[in-house]
Amino acid sequence: MKSESKVNKPATERSRAGQAGFAENAPGLDDLLDSRTLIDTFLAEQRDLTAVEEFSRAHDSEALAHGRYQHLLPLSKPRPGEQYAFEVDLDQCSGCKGCVTACHSLNGLDDGETWRETGTLLGEALVPHANGGNRVVPLQQTVTTACHHCVEPACLLGCPVLAYDKDPITGIVRHLDDQCIGCSYCILKCPYEVPKYSATRGIVRKCDMCQDRLAVGEAPACVQACPNEAIQITLVQKEQVKVFFGTSGCDPKSPLSWLPDSPAADYTLPSTIYRSTRPQAEMRAADHERLRPQPAHWPLIFMLLLTQAGIGALCLRPFAKPTWPSAVLNFGFVAAGLAFSVLHLGQPKKAWRAWLGWRTSWLSREAIVLNLLGAGMLLMLVFRESNFLAMIIAATGFVAVFCQAMVYADTRRQFWALRRTAPRFFGSAAVLGLAMVFVLSATPLLAVALMAVTLLKLSSEATVLKYVHDERWQYGQLRRTALLQTNNLRPILGLRLLFGLVGGVFLPFAAMQSASAGMSLTAAVCCFLGELAERYLFFTSVAPDKIPGTVES
């Protein structure tokens, strides 16, 4: 046994020496050093990862791992008027994406689904030169972002089914998966692109600050995974957040600060604190000038156009010959639009819940009014001679279009502002309604009205194009929209002008010379195709401000 031990001992020591990278007690060290190749040298250097080794060994012991991050958590629970918040040291973030990976792994996210992301800020700074004067030094900072658990969360206020909840004690904004119908309106409402749609589940999900871990005194996954301890959990005063973002704006010297080149913080009052000793005023996102078309949302496009066509024809009923087939056609357009709205949902069987958030959500109000409109139009098929009922339903249709405009204006995107969206939506109702009535009664008065409304609407839409060459806007929202329409989406813009002018101007003018049912029907089809292109541009060319990303993202 002794001889066997003597034989095995040198082998064990040689194994340990090899793992440690040429230990001092390894036999023949000088000979090995002389015979090492360049690859051996690189491998030896690669093993000398002291920071990584120290970080890894710290997690070998469960007890050590449990207590290691206590200094990254507040000493006490939130008191009245306080809430938990992320605090990020931008100077310490290296962009390793360890926080992204840990969040993805712990929460079991789908491929391509991320609740924490990283971006890049670029800029320049003037620093004193050794020989006098100043020199320009390039700056780069990595930004890690997740849900900001806002004091006044837009996702919560906009959700039509009350699928969001802000914990009254911790202030954490939670998403209730079992309540969600997958309408994705919270994605449009959140200026920071925090909620993420899960196609496999048909619902939206988001970061909850690992509230289960916080409840037992453990740090969230992203906090534990950061090797530089750039992320921690802190406490903020809600009133302080309101006062700061409501009055002073972004001030790096304040105990609270916000990211440069990011959405305005006075909308939702985010609680995340970003700290840095570097100058922030001239920093820009790496993707600041990137043009990125947004999703088209085809079910919403058809829902808006069909309901507005039915409403427009209904309101113009006194100018045509009211017949039962025309009433059926109007009801059919509204009913088809409501059917398309359900196709937009990830959980269509839960569509009946859409009215629950009527107190704060314009989407709920739109759903309620549109359903009332559909029920009223169905009654009109029974009581065909009731002019009083027709007036009430027409007024309901007007309110429905206003609610549709407010759904998008409430997202605070400049291209979707009410002064731009309302003319588009009411203009579509007028153009499509006139086109439908023109098919039934091709009178010169209707032709002139259709041409006038079409030209007025096209002129209103073209006003955004003036920002293409307006350098005062730099790469603001409206200029990005104008550049998208004149570059990436230029073919769609061309189709919109072509079908709009042909269907709304040329064919009605020709029909005035020779009344033709085929010509009026072609004009109506061209008008619908023109409005289809306009609504596609409405969704895809909107360019909201966003949290800094990377050039590749």
Side-chain angles (χ1 to χ4, degrees):
M1 295 295 293
K2 291 182 179 180
S3 60
E4 185 176 345
S5 175
K6 292 179 180 180
V7 172
N8 290 336
K9 184 175 181 181
T12 304
E13 292 178 353
R14 287 196 300 270
S15 175
R16 292 176 178 174
Q19 294 176 1
F22 300 101
E24 293 181 359
N25 61 349
L29 182 60
D30 294 334
D31 295 336
L32 289 174
L33 290 173
D34 293 337
S35 61
R36 280 194 307 180
T37 65
L38 184 61
I39 295 178
D40 294 330
T41 303
F42 287 153
L43 290 176
E45 292 177 353
Q46 189 178 22
R47 295 189 187 99
D48 189 22
L49 302 176
T50 56
V52 175
E53 289 175 353
E54 181 181 355
F55 186 74
S56 177
R57 290 171 183 172
H59 290 74
D60 290 342
S61 171
E62 181 178 355
L64 183 60
H66 179 77
R68 179 178 175 83
Y69 300 102
Q70 294 301 312
H71 65 288
L72 298 178
L73 297 175
L75 297 177
S76 62
K77 300 290 184 180
R79 293 179 290 271
E82 293 182 337
Q83 72 163 70
Y84 284 129
F86 286 114
E87 183 174 339
V88 180
D89 188 341
L90 295 175
D91 299 338
Q92 294 298 322
C93 181
S94 63
C96 68
K97 296 189 177 181
C99 55
V100 178
T101 303
C103 177
H104 190 282
S105 176
L106 179 68
N107 294 289
L109 305 185
D110 300 334
D111 293 340
E113 184 182 13
T114 55
W115 291 357
R116 178 168 283 278
E117 298 177 314
T118 60
T120 306
L121 286 170
L122 304 175
E124 295 179 344
L126 292 176
V127 299
H129 197 276
N131 299 326
N134 296 322
R135 61 189 179 95
V136 178
V137 177
L139 298 177
Q140 177 175 329
Q141 280 189 323
T142 304
V143 177
T144 174
T145 60
C147 179
H148 301 295
H149 300 281
C150 305
V151 175
E152 297 179 359
C155 55
L156 185 152
L157 297 175
C159 181
V161 294
L162 306 181
Y164 283 91
D165 172 65
K166 185 172 178 64
D167 191 285
I169 298 177
T170 64
I172 295 174
V173 179
R174 303 172 297 187
H175 182 263
L176 310 177
D177 292 357
D178 57 339
Q179 288 286 104
C180 184
I181 62 175
C183 69
S184 299
Y185 186 52
C186 56
I187 299 178
L188 299 180
K189 283 281 291 180
C190 177
Y192 318 112
E193 300 182 329
V194 166
K196 297 295 188 297
Y197 181 75
S198 173
T200 58
R201 297 168 177 81
I203 60 172
V204 167
R205 303 196 297 172
K206 63 174 284 295
C207 157
D208 63 353
M209 202 182 277
C210 295
Q211 58 177 355
D212 294 338
R213 298 169 68 91
L214 281 176
V216 295
E218 292 190 29
C222 56
V223 174
Q224 287 199 8
C226 181
N228 299 323
E229 298 184 348
I231 311 173
Q232 65 178 343
I233 303 299
T234 187
L235 295 175
V236 296
Q237 293 282 346
K238 297 179 184 179
E239 287 301 322
Q240 185 182 12
V241 174
K242 291 181 180 180
V243 172
F244 172 73
F245 288 127
T247 57
S248 60
C250 183
D251 180 7
K253 296 181 180 179
S254 170
L256 300 174
S257 62
W258 187 233
L259 285 171
D261 200 15
S262 298
D266 59 350
Y267 175 28
T268 64
L269 306 179
S271 65
T272 304
I273 300 174
Y274 288 96
R275 300 194 184 279
S276 175
T277 58
R278 302 178 185 178
Q280 298 290 305
E282 301 301 325
M283 299 289 277
R284 289 287 187 182
D287 59 345
H288 176 74
E289 298 183 2
R290 183 188 176 193
L291 299 178
R292 183 179 61 164
Q294 298 295 309
H297 301 294
W298 283 106
L300 295 181
I301 289 176
F302 282 102
M303 184 273 289
L304 291 171
L305 290 181
L306 291 173
T307 54
Q308 289 165 12
I311 292 170
L314 173 66
C315 293
L316 293 169
R317 184 171 177 264
F319 299 95
K321 297 177 182 179
T323 61
W324 192 76
S326 65
V328 173
L329 182 63
N330 296 344
F331 171 75
F333 270 89
V334 173
L338 291 173
F340 271 103
S341 68
V342 176
L343 296 179
H344 180 68
L345 304 179
Q347 298 284 338
K349 293 182 180 179
K350 300 178 181 179
W352 61 271
R353 295 182 177 180
W355 63 272
L356 294 176
W358 64 272
R359 291 180 178 85
T360 59
S361 175
W362 279 102
L363 188 61
S364 283
R365 297 163 186 169
E366 177 200 29
I368 293 172
V369 176
L370 282 177
N371 279 278
L372 290 175
L373 175 67
M377 295 182 73
L378 186 60
L379 288 176
M380 284 186 62
L381 298 179
V382 179
F383 303 99
R384 287 177 285 178
E385 303 300 328
S386 177
N387 293 327
F388 178 74
L389 180 60
M391 292 176 60
I392 294 178
I393 302 305
T396 305
F398 185 91
V399 175
V401 177
F402 176 77
C403 289
Q404 289 177 336
M406 283 302 303
V407 165
Y408 300 96
D410 198 41
T411 63
R412 301 286 187 94
R413 304 182 179 198
Q414 292 183 14
F415 183 54
W416 287 354
L418 186 61
R419 65 180 181 275
R420 295 184 178 88
T421 303
R424 285 175 178 268
F425 284 13
F426 281 105
S428 293
V431 169
L432 295 176
L434 284 168
M436 291 173 60
V437 174
F438 188 63
V439 173
L440 302 175
S441 178
T443 63
L445 178 61
L446 289 174
V448 172
L450 179 56
M451 289 188 292
V453 171
T454 299
L455 291 174
L456 185 63
K457 188 171 188 294
L458 289 174
S459 301
S460 175
E461 295 170 14
T463 56
V464 74
L465 300 180
K466 69 181 181 182
Y467 296 102
V468 171
H469 303 294
D470 192 346
E471 296 184 357
R472 293 176 302 173
W473 287 80
Q474 297 182 354
Y475 266 75
Q477 292 189 34
L478 294 178
R479 192 179 186 197
R480 291 198 299 269
T481 293
L483 290 172
L484 278 170
Q485 292 193 8
T486 55
N487 290 277
N488 307 53
L489 303 172
R490 190 170 187 173
I492 307 299
L493 180 62
L495 290 175
R496 194 298 175 254
L497 295 174
L498 175 63
F499 284 119
L501 291 173
V502 170
V505 179
F506 297 146
L507 290 179
F509 180 78
M512 291 175 61
Q513 310 302 322
S514 59
S516 171
M519 191 174 296
S520 59
L521 181 59
T522 304
V525 173
C526 288
C527 285
F528 186 84
L529 292 176
E531 294 302 311
L532 188 68
E534 179 270 316
R535 205 50 44 89
Y536 181 86
L537 291 172
F538 176 80
F539 282 104
T540 57
S541 66
V542 65
D545 294 330
K546 60 183 290 293
I547 288 293
T550 59
V551 177
E552 297 80 14
S553 65

